[in-house]
Amino acid sequence: MTLDYLEQILDLFLEQKRLSVQQTLSILKQGTGVFQQLKNVIDVDSGPNQQIIIVGDTHGQFYDVVNLIDMYGPPSENQIYLFNGDVVDRGSHGVENMLFLIGLKLVFPNYIHILRGNHESERCTQVYGFRFEVFDKYKDSVDSEEEVYHENEQIKENKSNIKIPFEKESDIKIDKECNDESQDKNVIDLMEIKTQDDDNVLLSQSNKDQNKVNAKQPYSEMKTGQLVYSAFLQLFNSLPIGAIVNKEIFVTHGGLFDRYGVTIDDIQKINRFCDPGQEGGENLMGQMMWADPSEFTSFHPSIRSYGCLFGEDVTDDFLINNNLKLVVRSHEQKKNGFQIHHSGKLITIFSAPSYCLDTNLGAVLLVTKDESQDETESQDEKEKQMNGET
């Protein structure tokens, strides 16, 4: 993925057009290859002059994500983005939202990170809209010769003036609004960019859905909508499920667990390459994706599919056992986009404004590194060297 290709993709999405099936599959394949190499819990660290921007649920609100990045600037040495799941479902542009974030990850691999939410799953996407969206946007006929534009000039003529300022000199503002009713159904094939795809990519297969295609079935024999949806599911299964920011903050989509004593090492051992709740054992991944904080102590049953309601004592136990200071989660809509819980040791961040036509605000969490922390770590290193430690 090149920056030029990503800028063209953004232009097309802002014009409410979409990529061809083959290009969509190429991006999903590249993204899956990157994510599946990562640990369950990744480390996200910033330097003294960097800030980390933690983004909560965005739920298919692609235009709000574009505005957000335009506001704070693209991923760079100055700002690192951490998206905390629920990129799809509910909103009308989950496809564009996820493909755009994957494109950013491929172009700026060290400056943007994407975690899994409970909606990045087969269970949720079959109910809350994303599966229908994929099948609607990738009908079986969309890659026919008659419906795909091949002319390079077509791309140039349709190119939008609205861009994310990837270069610092740019000062272009986002002023385009989403209009679902006027969505253009045209498909643009960016022939200027060469993509490569194997004809027999192995796609994930669910043993619960009899309509799932065989994982080894060639592209040409699969229904287009099912093909793209299966590729999205494979990518979802590869996403990390947590992050530790600056060695102090634990970030995960839903929350904590229905027992005390869970460690980061326990989480690292989870087999995350499945739907949350199907990983076996204690279903720790399912709990991380679905749990909610409670004002009561201990843990209690939840009305959600998995997870529990966990109290301040559970948060305290997790932070102490893992030498951390704060838990950041998303998963719940908040009127002002955020809420502080458990005596300031847990924060909910929700980043989808006007969610499902509501009047809520969206928020992000800006994390900067305390320079005194660097000085302390440097002093510790000097003492270790003086004592002959490595």
Side-chain angles (χ1 to χ4, degrees):
M1 172 80 68
T2 65
L3 178 57
D4 179 62
Y5 187 18
L6 181 59
E7 288 177 337
Q8 292 186 65
I9 290 173
L10 176 60
D11 285 330
L12 291 180
F13 286 171
L14 290 173
E15 293 178 359
Q16 300 187 19
K17 296 179 172 65
R18 63 181 183 270
L19 299 175
S20 69
V21 170
Q22 194 71 5
Q23 289 172 314
T24 300
L25 293 174
S26 176
I27 294 171
L28 292 174
K29 179 183 176 182
Q30 292 177 66
T32 300
V34 170
F35 291 123
Q36 67 186 6
Q37 302 300 320
L38 303 177
K39 298 184 296 183
N40 289 347
V41 180
I42 60 176
D43 295 309
V44 181
D45 297 312
S46 64
N49 298 319
Q50 290 178 318
Q51 67 176 357
I52 297 174
I53 304 168
I54 301 178
V55 185
D57 302 37
T58 55
H59 278 299
Q61 295 183 202
F62 166 69
Y63 293 87
D64 290 318
V65 170
V66 173
N67 276 300
L68 172 69
I69 296 178
D70 182 61
M71 181 184 302
Y72 289 101
S76 70
E77 293 181 355
N78 296 323
Q79 53 262 340
I80 300 171
Y81 285 87
L82 175 58
F83 283 80
N84 194 23
D86 279 11
V87 175
V88 302
D89 273 343
R90 305 286 194 181
S92 302
H93 298 88
V95 168
E96 292 83 358
N97 210 22
M98 181 59 78
L99 289 176
F100 179 55
L101 292 183
I102 297 169
L104 287 172
K105 178 66 176 176
L106 294 175
V107 174
F108 306 102
N110 297 322
Y111 303 133
I112 179 170
H113 307 279
I114 308 169
L115 303 183
R116 188 176 197 174
N118 62 302
H119 280 268
E120 278 74 52
S121 66
E122 183 176 14
R123 179 188 183 98
C124 282
T125 53
Q126 287 185 338
V127 177
Y128 295 104
F130 183 68
R131 180 178 181 272
F132 177 82
E133 178 190 344
V134 172
F135 275 66
D136 181 60
K137 291 179 177 177
Y138 294 94
K139 292 183 174 68
D140 293 338
S141 61
V142 296
D143 263 1
S144 66
E145 289 294 331
E146 294 78 18
E147 296 191 24
V148 179
Y149 293 97
H150 292 288
E151 296 85 354
N152 292 340
E153 291 303 316
Q154 181 74 26
I155 299 171
K156 296 175 182 178
E157 291 172 4
N158 286 335
K159 197 165 185 179
S160 171
N161 290 324
I162 303 168
K163 285 188 177 182
I164 285 181
F166 288 110
E167 300 296 333
K168 293 182 180 179
E169 304 87 79
S170 176
D171 192 27
I172 301 174
K173 300 297 182 183
I174 300 294
D175 58 7
K176 187 175 181 67
E177 296 181 353
C178 172
N179 184 352
D180 293 338
E181 295 181 357
S182 63
Q183 182 173 356
D184 194 329
K185 297 298 184 181
N186 288 338
V187 180
I188 300 294
D189 192 3
L190 300 177
M191 297 303 291
E192 292 178 335
I193 307 299
K194 301 296 183 182
T195 60
Q196 295 181 352
D197 277 296
D198 297 331
D199 289 334
N200 295 281
V201 173
L202 299 181
L203 300 177
S204 61
Q205 181 182 13
S206 169
N207 55 12
K208 295 176 61 179
D209 189 347
Q210 296 180 354
N211 294 326
K212 286 293 179 189
V213 295
N214 187 288
K216 296 183 180 180
Q217 192 173 3
Y219 285 171
S220 58
E221 298 178 14
M222 299 171 67
K223 295 290 185 180
T224 305
Q226 183 62 60
L227 171 67
V228 176
Y229 180 61
S230 296
F232 270 110
L233 292 181
Q234 186 181 27
L235 179 122
F236 295 163
N237 288 343
S238 71
L239 292 172
I241 56 178
I244 296 178
V245 173
N246 289 340
K247 301 179 177 60
E248 295 183 336
I249 305 170
F250 179 68
V251 182
T252 193
H253 179 72
L256 300 180
F257 311 95
D258 61 2
R259 73 168 173 89
Y260 302 108
V262 176
T263 66
I264 299 300
D265 287 341
D266 294 331
I267 300 172
Q268 297 288 25
K269 295 175 184 177
I270 297 171
N271 173 24
R272 76 174 191 268
F273 297 95
C274 59
D275 242 35
Q278 296 182 3
E279 64 271 20
E282 299 178 88
N283 287 333
L284 293 181
M285 177 170 66
Q287 295 188 55
M288 293 169 66
M289 298 297 102
W290 288 91
D292 297 296
S294 168
E295 298 309 311
F296 298 98
T297 59
S298 188
F299 27 78
H300 304 276
S302 172
I303 62 173
R304 296 184 186 267
S305 299
Y306 297 98
C308 66
L309 299 173
F310 61 95
E312 183 174 347
D313 57 329
V314 179
T315 299
D316 288 337
D317 176 82
F318 180 82
L319 293 175
I320 292 170
N321 284 335
N322 294 283
N323 194 28
L324 299 168
K325 296 182 179 180
L326 178 69
V327 174
V328 175
R329 45 91 63 175
S330 301
H331 194 44
E332 288 183 290
Q333 176 189 357
K334 299 298 178 183
K335 180 177 178 58
N336 293 316
F338 74 98
Q339 184 175 345
I340 300 173
H341 316 259
H342 297 173
S343 303
K345 290 165 287 191
L346 186 145
I347 300 176
T348 295
I349 296 294
F350 191 86
S351 304
S354 304
Y355 175 62
C356 294
L357 302 181
D358 206 338
T359 58
N360 68 287
L361 302 177
V364 299
L365 181 64
L366 304 181
V367 180
T368 57
K369 193 170 186 179
D370 186 354
E371 292 185 9
S372 63
Q373 181 181 351
D374 283 339
E375 294 174 3
T376 302
E377 292 175 354
S378 177
Q379 184 63 32
D380 289 343
E381 280 298 317
K382 289 179 180 179
E383 291 178 0
K384 287 182 180 180
Q385 292 175 7
M386 291 175 64
N387 294 329
E389 299 179 23
T390 57

